[in-house]
Amino acid sequence: MTTDETVEQILRTYDTITVVGASASPEKPAHYVPAHMQQHGWRIVPVNPRGGTMLGEPVHASLADVPTPGLVNVFRPSPQTPDIARQAVAAGATALWLQLGIASGEARRIAEEAGLLYVEDRCLIVEQRRTGLRVPKAS
C-alpha cells in the first residue's frame, strides 16, 4: 500500500485521534492541527504529561492512560518516536502517524511489525484538505 493509500485509509477509518505531545499553545502545530481536525468532526484525545484540559478534552498523562488509542498522532522529536511506537503498540493502537518533519526508520519498523498502519512526515491538515475526506460516521 502506498503512503497516499494509507493516509486515505486512516482518514476514512478513524473518528478519534489520540495526540501525543498535544499543546495548549495556539501558535504551535501540536495545538492548531488537532484543533482543525476537531473542527472537522474528529474527536481529539490529548496526551501530555502536564495534564489539564485541552480543546475541551481531558488530557491524559501517557498513552498507557488512554483506554483505546486507535490512531496515535505524534508531535514529538524524531528520536523519541521509537519509544512512542512501543508505547502505542503496548496500548493497543492500530495506526501511528508522525507529523510533518518527523520520521524514524525504527518507529516504522516497530509499528509495521506490530501490524499498525503507519504514516510519517505528513501533516493531518494538509492530507485532510488534499483528500477532502470528512470524519467517518460511527457505525
Side-chain angles (χ1 to χ4, degrees), residues 39-139:
Q39 290 162 3
H40 285 82
W42 278 267
R43 179 171 170 256
I44 300 301
V45 178
V47 176
N48 187 306
R50 293 188 179 134
T53 302
M54 211 174 292
L55 299 170
E57 298 286 344
V59 177
H60 298 271
S62 73
L63 263 175
D65 297 332
V66 179
T68 51
L71 168 58
V72 175
N73 180 225
V74 181
F75 287 90
R76 300 300 305 145
S78 296
Q80 293 179 15
T81 60
D83 189 47
I84 293 167
R86 287 184 201 91
Q87 292 171 35
V89 169
T94 52
L96 184 65
W97 183 305
L98 308 186
Q99 273 298 129
L100 190 62
I102 306 169
S104 166
E106 186 179 359
R108 174 185 288 277
R109 181 187 54 75
I110 292 164
E112 289 179 346
E113 284 179 3
L116 276 65
L117 294 171
Y118 183 84
V119 172
E120 66 182 10
D121 195 23
R122 297 272 186 116
C123 177
L124 271 170
I125 290 176
V126 171
E127 298 304 322
Q128 186 272 324
R129 288 178 177 159
R130 179 183 66 79
T131 61
L133 293 171
R134 300 285 180 221
V135 66
K137 302 287 185 234
S139 46

